[in-house]
Amino acid sequence: MPFVSRVAALLTAFLFLLTSVAAAAKAPKPSKKDQLVTISTSLGEIKLVLFDVTPLHKANFLKLAESRFYTGTTFHRVIPNFMVQGGDANSKDTDPSNDGMGQPNEQTIPAEIRPELKHKFGAVAAARQGDFVNPQRASSASQFYLVQNHQGVPHLDGQYTVFGQVVSGLDVIDKIATQPKDDRDRPLTDLKMTVKVEKLKKKKISELYGYAY
């Protein structure tokens, strides 16, 4: 190889190395902490974590929770052996007929559907409008559901964004799912929730709830 070509090749390799080192230096280190979300109801507490691989949904849920948006909302739709759904702002008012309908011109969240995130027991997923009006499968701005079927609901995999997992309180989901309800699957007694967020070390969350990061 001619001398000039060798020098050029060495310079290229050196620049590539510098670029790689700089990129590695800028990359944020994985946090040793995570947010633990607690949903409190009259039937008990549900604790869950949200996935970093669905950052839009995680950030949105935490923002709503920390702003106390969810306080006073209810689990307005329950279907045994399937799921329980809540988080609609309409469920705060005194008109049960509009629960689940969402707000006019409500913003949506782009889908973050990932093949490795499944609808297993205790999965946290985002509700959305059907494909016929929402082919991009964008998620509701606030409504979410918790999978109650102990075998999961795999037919929903790839259809809705799963963005978290319940780590404690699976029995509470069961209790919610079996509440007496009307013909719209709305519980006859309001199941109001309050939601709080606390930051804990991931190691602590694993020790307390057996969740593996």
Side-chain angles (χ1 to χ4, degrees):
M1 180 184 291
F3 176 75
V4 174
S5 297
R6 288 201 301 272
V7 171
L10 287 171
L11 283 174
T12 300
F14 181 66
L15 289 173
F16 177 78
L17 179 62
L18 284 178
T19 302
S20 300
V21 170
K26 291 181 180 178
K29 293 182 179 179
S31 176
K32 293 184 178 180
K33 293 186 176 183
D34 197 6
Q35 289 88 354
L36 180 70
V37 177
T38 301
I39 300 175
S40 299
T41 75
S42 60
L43 298 176
E45 289 187 344
I46 300 167
K47 296 182 182 292
L48 56 94
V49 295
L50 306 174
F51 300 142
D52 290 334
V53 293
T54 52
L56 300 178
H57 286 71
K58 180 171 185 173
N60 178 73
F61 192 96
L62 291 175
K63 178 182 177 181
L64 294 177
E66 290 168 343
S67 69
R68 298 176 62 83
F69 168 89
Y70 285 120
T71 297
T73 62
T74 72
F75 283 101
H76 63 267
R77 183 173 177 236
V78 302
I79 304 177
N81 297 314
F82 184 29
M83 59 90 218
V84 300
Q85 181 175 330
D88 182 16
N90 292 340
S91 65
K92 295 182 181 183
D93 65 27
T94 57
D95 179 10
S97 67
N98 65 9
D99 291 2
M101 296 178 65
Q103 299 289 293
N105 303 314
E106 190 174 66
Q107 296 295 310
T108 57
I109 309 168
E112 293 180 297
I113 298 171
R114 298 178 63 93
E116 73 272 24
L117 301 180
K118 307 295 185 182
H119 281 79
K120 62 183 182 179
F121 184 27
V124 184
R128 67 174 179 83
Q129 290 186 306
D131 288 0
F132 62 98
V133 294
N134 178 28
Q136 289 79 28
R137 297 175 172 170
S139 300
S140 162
S142 66
Q143 294 187 54
F144 63 94
Y145 60 93
L146 310 175
V147 174
Q148 186 267 329
N149 190 303
H150 291 208
Q151 283 69 53
V153 284
H155 67 278
L156 295 185
D157 292 345
Q159 309 293 315
Y160 295 77
T161 297
V162 174
F163 65 99
Q165 179 63 39
V166 171
V167 297
S168 177
L170 292 171
D171 60 317
V172 179
I173 302 177
D174 284 339
K175 293 176 185 177
I176 293 172
T178 58
Q179 293 302 295
K181 58 182 183 173
D182 62 20
D183 56 4
R184 297 178 61 244
D185 296 319
R186 186 188 186 279
L188 297 178
T189 301
D190 286 351
L191 293 172
K192 293 184 180 294
M193 70 179 83
T194 58
V195 182
K196 71 175 183 179
V197 180
E198 56 185 322
K199 205 161 191 178
L200 296 175
K201 290 183 178 180
K202 291 179 177 178
K203 182 179 179 181
K204 186 69 172 178
I205 293 174
S206 296
E207 290 174 352
L208 289 173
Y209 306 109
Y211 179 74
Y213 282 92

